[in-house]
Structure formats: structure tokens, C-alpha cells
Amino acid sequence: MYGRVYATILQKASGTLTLNVAASSQHLLLAFPSHPQSHLSSWVKSKSIPGICSDEKSENCSKSWRHCSTRQDLDFQLSRVQINNILRSSEQTVSVPEFDGKALSVVRKFESNQLAANTPNEDRRSAASCLQSKGMLFGVFDGHGGWACAQAVSERLLYYIAVAMMSKHGLEELEKCMEHDRPVPPILQWYKHHTDFIYRDSASLYIDHLRVFWQELLVNEEHDEGMSPQEALHCAFKRLDADISLEAQVPLSNDLMRSTAIQVAFAGCTACVAHVGMDGIHVANAGDCRAVLGVLNDDGSWSALPLSQDHNSENQAEVERIRAQHPPSERHSVITDDRLLGILMPLRAFGDMRFKWSSELQQSVLDALESGVDLDSLELYQYTPPNYLTPPYLDVTPDIRYHKLRPQDRFLILGTDGLWDELGNEEAVRLVGEHLSGVHLQAPVSPSEKQLRLGQMHKLLLKRRARASPTLDSNSATHLIRHALGTSDYRELSHERLASMLALPEDLARMYRDDITATVVYLNSDLVKRSPS
């Protein structure tokens, strides 16, 4: 069965590609021991359909798929060492000093990891301490239509938030240093992984626009002690998106910077950012990334407290919000096939100017590019979404939630939707909680379970044994990703299943899973206990 499903996928991808199903069926059955439909859903639910393989691109699509992997390319025999090397190549663990020179830190440490399905990875992550104000910032960013927007936002957004929280006196110091060409006091202490990429060619543009932002704050009579975290998060999301829009429209100093700015504007990304301070956690979310708090209960069990809501078609309030912004005649066309205008899954995002600008502005910006620029190479496609009548259809206004920290609040999980496609909130919190405590609680055998037949009891024992298995990773984010991809129907880690998911070739991986990014922030519960009520 699984061989036939897999062969069908490949045959649909290219009319010239055939597979010997009988020869490959047994091998693929081992590679995909559980139902493949759950992983196909990750492909069907991809963020956007940038080219949609329209008629003018069908030939190119066909050519690219003719290079799709055939049966002889597929090798799912990864060793445990190879699996661990793949899973751990991007993991990061950072211990935070309890005292940072200004105040006690409510963050004890954080652990993060990423696993790509797209090539290159379209997810990004950020973590930094605010040096001119208090608290730490953590963000996860899920790109679509390419990685360009997620890259730019991951580099810039935390600066905008930190600057918005700075006092007027601190901003004056920044401006004086810039005016007199002196070193500028650092705003953030970044925690970068060695594989993190930076847009160095656009750094001067980013600094110039950040400076314009703080100059406007300086002339604001109400900006004395700086914004609260909630105000700063809201302002920073909106202002950065406005700058991304502006940069794609104005002349820039060189062609590379101009093409990068346009690429960033036409791509998109969702974002979930948390500010963690002594007064609590503020989470700002735009899109379908998610923040979940891990809470330790009195009986030693764990519970999950969501600190964000997904902005997609499953959120009926979000659907109604968008419909209310457009004429009644568009009520049934704004959201079709569970996507914005039938194309985009997240209903809030940075960039995506194709859903924000007028059609005339989009065309004029693309026409202004140098004639020698290949739009396809920049992942820019000249198409208009259907029923594009009353833009904008999309915005980046974040949904912001505040949670006052309590002694039982132990950690915060930030993850892109690739993680949450595979794990529920409660399961993710349980995995991290048991990883943290080393205690795997088993529910008592219920009366109904005592009446199980031998085969059913065997399945129950497998499930309970899986929960008691020792952890294989010291990094909790890696632990989450391993279980997200390698858990069997009995909730037991399956080496064969994990090997099959990690060994998929680049041209097939995205059909079965999404990019995954997870960051786990451990809270200093002892400090919360000592703080005054």
C-alpha cells in the first residue's frame, strides 16, 4: 500500500518517471510504517503557492521534476550516529547568568534547534538580551515564498522592539554617537548559532531605517521612559513591516540591495516573539507559529498553557475579522480552500506585499527592476491572486498576550508550525517536562484496560514503555524534533520511521514534513518565588 502511495506521488510529479512498485513496495513499507497521509498533509498545507505552476511556467516545473529522485536514489538505512548528526547539527544551548550586571535574570537558560525540509531552510530564529532596557527577547519566524523575508525579520525585529523600550535619554545617546561618528552603545547581546546567516550587504540600509525610527521616537513628547513591552511589540511589528514595504519602493544604492529589498517584500513570514522579564512574559504573534507555557502541577504532572493563537482558517474569529474588512460581495472569496484568496495559509504575516499593495503598485515595482534581473531567480512571480478587488487583504498586527509568572511556570516553548503539525501542546509540554525532571509519570491502569485482550494489552505495554524510555538528547529542542518525526502509532520512538523521514531527498522532503524550529526557554522558578507578590 505504502509503496503504491509513494509511487503515485512520484509519477504525478513527472509524466516521464516510472517506478517498479512491486520491487520497491516492501522497502517503502519499512520506510513508512505508519499512515503517510499525515505527512502528505504538511505538503498540502504549505504556506503559499507562489508560482502555482501556471501555463507559462508549466514547462519549467516539468523540467525540474524530471530530476526528481527515483527508486535507486532512495536510501533509508541511516545509522543512529547519522541520525544524531543530522538532528544535532543546528542545536544551541545557552546558559544565562543569574545576574547580568543590572538585574536578576528570570531566564535560566534556553535550548534551540532547527531541522530543514525546504532547501534552503525557510525558518529562522532569534534570541538576544536587551542591554539598554530589561528582559530577553526570543523569536521564531516561518518564511513562505522563499526565505528572504524570514531572514530580514529575524535580523531586524528584535532591534525595533529593544529601541522602542529604550528611554529618551538612551536614544539621545545613540543619536549623539551617530552624529559624531563614535561607536554606538550596543542595543542587544545576540545569541547566534554559527550557521546563522546575516544580510551583510543590507546592513547599512537596516541601520539607517532603525535610526529614522528612533529619531521619530525622540521627537515624540510622550516617549520619556520608553514603551512598555506590550506597546513596543505592537509598534515594532507594524513599523518594521512598513519599512519593508518602503524599501522595496524607493531607489537604493546598488542593484543587489534593491533586488534583496524587493525579494523580502514579496516573500513573507509569520513571527512569534516573546519578551521575558521580571514582570512576566509578553508574547506577540502574527501567523501560525505558537508559544506554549509548561506548567508543573502539584501532583508532578505537566500542563500546557497556550500564550498565542494561530492565525489561520481554523481560527473562526480570525476568518470573520478578515471578512469584516471587505465588502459583503467578497465574503465567500476572501477565504477559499482554507487559504487567503485561495493561496496563503497564514492570515497575518510580514511582507507578502502581493496581498497588501494595489496591483498597479506591484507591477510598477517589478517593472522598475533592471531588465537583466531574472524574476524567477528571485522567486518573484508576476501573477495576481484571484478576486483581488479591495486590498489590503493581509496585515501584520500582532496578537499580544501577557502572562504574570508564577512559581509553577517552568519553561516556554516557541515553535514554528512544522513542530505543531506533529505535536499537540500537551504532548510537547510533557516531553520537555519529563526531559527536565527525568520523571516519566504513568497513569494508573484503568478498569477498562484491565479487561483488554492479550494483543491490546501488548499495545498498551508498548505505549507505556515508550514513555519510560531514556532520553537520547541533552538538548530539549532536539528531543522535541526527534519525537515529532520519529514517534510511532504506539507513541514509541521508531528508529526506522525517523530514518525514513530524515533520509528523504531534498525534492521529496517537503511533501512529508515542514521546516521545524523549536526554542525552549527555562525559567528561574526560584527567582519567581523570591520576588515580592
Side-chain angles (χ1 to χ4, degrees):
M1 170 183 173
Y2 303 109
R4 290 198 299 273
V5 171
Y6 197 63
T8 301
I9 295 171
L10 295 181
Q11 287 173 330
K12 285 183 178 180
S14 171
T16 62
L17 181 64
T18 59
L19 279 176
N20 184 335
V21 178
S24 60
S25 177
Q26 184 176 1
H27 181 59
L28 290 169
L29 179 60
L30 293 174
F32 296 93
S34 63
H35 297 295
Q37 286 88 341
S38 62
H39 300 289
L40 280 171
S41 64
S42 296
W43 174 46
V44 174
K45 295 192 298 182
S46 68
K47 297 289 183 204
S48 61
I49 315 173
I52 323 182
C53 281
S54 55
D55 292 341
E56 63 269 24
K57 292 184 174 61
S58 59
E59 182 179 355
N60 292 334
C61 290
S62 175
K63 288 179 180 178
S64 66
W65 275 106
R66 286 177 192 142
H67 297 289
C68 189
S69 298
T70 56
R71 176 173 54 84
Q72 57 266 31
D73 296 323
L74 305 178
D75 181 9
F76 298 101
Q77 305 306 311
L78 292 179
S79 69
R80 296 185 186 276
V81 172
Q82 290 174 310
I83 288 175
N84 290 339
N85 287 340
I86 293 171
L87 288 177
R88 297 170 183 171
S89 62
S90 297
E91 69 179 7
Q92 179 184 29
T93 301
V94 176
S95 296
V96 179
E98 186 173 359
F99 186 75
D100 63 3
K102 296 183 299 180
L104 292 171
S105 174
V106 74
V107 175
R108 183 164 57 86
K109 70 172 181 177
F110 69 90
E111 297 173 337
S112 184
N113 200 356
Q114 292 184 302
L115 181 69
N118 291 291
T119 305
N121 188 357
E122 294 183 352
D123 278 5
R124 294 294 185 271
R125 58 185 171 179
S126 296
S129 293
C130 299
L131 298 178
Q132 304 298 326
S133 57
K134 295 180 180 179
M136 294 186 67
L137 291 165
F138 301 91
V140 292
F141 311 92
D142 190 351
H144 48 265
W147 52 270
C149 188
Q151 176 63 43
V153 173
S154 69
E155 289 184 45
R156 306 176 68 182
L157 181 58
L158 271 56
Y159 275 117
Y160 280 66
I161 298 168
V163 163
M165 290 191 295
M166 286 176 61
S167 67
K168 182 168 288 189
H169 174 73
L171 296 177
E172 288 171 346
E173 288 297 315
L174 293 182
E175 184 59 25
K176 287 178 182 178
C177 290
M178 292 291 286
E179 287 178 353
H180 297 93
D181 200 24
R182 298 201 308 264
V184 176
I187 298 171
L188 294 172
Q189 177 184 339
W190 285 93
Y191 302 98
K192 294 282 190 180
H193 189 263
H194 66 85
T195 60
D196 289 346
F197 174 74
I198 299 176
Y199 266 145
R200 299 190 184 279
D201 293 316
S202 300
S204 60
L205 174 67
Y206 295 168
I207 292 172
D208 288 345
H209 278 202
L210 182 65
R211 184 182 182 186
V212 171
F213 177 46
W214 81 53
Q215 287 173 338
E216 292 181 9
L217 294 176
L218 279 172
V219 299
N220 185 343
E221 295 180 357
E222 298 180 358
H223 192 91
D224 291 326
E225 298 305 318
M227 296 182 187
S228 67
Q230 180 168 346
E231 293 170 328
L233 287 164
H234 182 274
C235 179
F237 270 63
K238 299 286 285 185
R239 178 55 182 253
L240 177 55
D241 197 53
D243 282 353
I244 288 172
S245 175
L246 177 63
E247 290 158 6
Q249 299 177 53
V250 300
L252 296 176
S253 58
N254 60 66
D255 293 343
L256 176 60
M257 192 179 295
R258 170 120 175 110
S259 61
T260 298
I262 294 177
Q263 191 177 14
V264 168
F266 276 81
C269 84
T270 62
C272 187
V273 176
H275 176 270
V276 185
M278 286 297 299
D279 59 337
I281 300 174
H282 290 83
V283 174
N285 185 55
D288 50 11
C289 297
R290 193 181 302 171
V292 180
L293 190 68
V295 181
L296 179 62
N297 301 317
D298 292 339
D299 62 359
S301 64
W302 294 91
S303 60
L305 178 63
L307 295 186
S308 67
Q309 62 175 344
D310 298 349
H311 300 130
N312 54 31
S313 61
E314 295 179 11
N315 183 339
Q316 194 57 38
E318 184 70 4
V319 171
E320 291 302 322
R321 180 189 70 86
I322 292 177
R323 284 175 172 165
Q325 295 175 349
H326 300 277
S329 59
E330 294 185 60
R331 179 170 180 82
H332 298 294
S333 62
V334 173
I335 307 290
T336 58
D337 297 328
D338 295 328
R339 296 171 181 264
L340 184 65
L341 297 179
I343 296 176
L344 193 66
M345 280 204 70
L347 302 183
R348 302 191 197 190
F350 281 95
D352 282 315
M353 296 305 161
R354 198 175 300 283
F355 298 88
K356 298 174 181 177
W357 289 348
S358 68
S359 299
E360 294 76 18
L361 177 57
Q362 292 180 40
Q363 193 60 51
S364 67
V365 168
L366 293 177
D367 289 345
L369 278 171
E370 295 295 323
S371 57
V373 175
D374 178 12
L375 294 183
D376 286 353
S377 68
L378 298 179
E379 296 187 345
L380 300 175
Y381 306 98
Q382 291 179 303
Y383 74 94
T384 300
N387 301 304
Y388 197 73
L389 306 173
T390 56
Y393 288 90
L394 185 71
D395 66 45
V396 77
T397 303
D399 186 15
I400 301 176
R401 298 192 178 185
Y402 168 71
H403 176 78
K404 182 175 176 58
L405 286 174
R406 308 163 299 175
Q408 62 266 38
D409 301 330
R410 297 307 174 90
F411 55 84
L412 177 69
I413 303 174
L414 294 173
T416 55
D417 73 331
L419 177 71
W420 307 113
D421 285 344
E422 309 295 339
L423 294 177
N425 294 354
E426 295 288 345
E427 185 177 9
V429 165
R430 179 186 63 79
L431 285 168
V432 175
E434 293 179 351
H435 184 273
L436 172 62
S437 65
V439 177
H440 303 270
L441 295 178
Q442 300 282 10
V445 177
S446 66
S448 61
E449 289 174 333
K450 292 179 181 179
Q451 306 301 319
L452 294 177
R453 296 191 299 272
L454 183 60
Q456 294 171 318
M457 181 60 73
H458 177 65
K459 292 181 180 180
L460 176 63
L461 291 174
L462 285 175
K463 184 176 181 179
R464 294 172 73 86
R465 186 182 70 179
R467 290 199 58 179
S469 300
T471 58
L472 302 175
D473 304 290
S474 60
N475 185 295
S476 57
T478 308
H479 183 64
L480 281 175
I481 295 174
R482 184 186 295 272
H483 279 263
L485 296 182
T487 302
S488 70
D489 290 341
Y490 302 129
R491 314 314 296 166
E492 181 179 18
L493 268 177
S494 165
H495 173 82
E496 290 77 13
R497 180 186 177 91
L498 189 57
S500 69
M501 296 304 294
L502 296 179
L504 285 168
E506 292 179 358
D507 47 14
L508 295 180
R510 187 60 185 88
M511 294 183 179
Y512 285 86
R513 58 184 174 87
D514 198 358
D515 300 325
I516 299 176
T517 297
T519 296
V520 181
V521 181
Y522 290 97
L523 305 171
N524 192 338
S525 57
D526 292 335
L527 180 60
V528 175
K529 291 177 183 177
R530 295 199 301 266
S531 64
S533 59

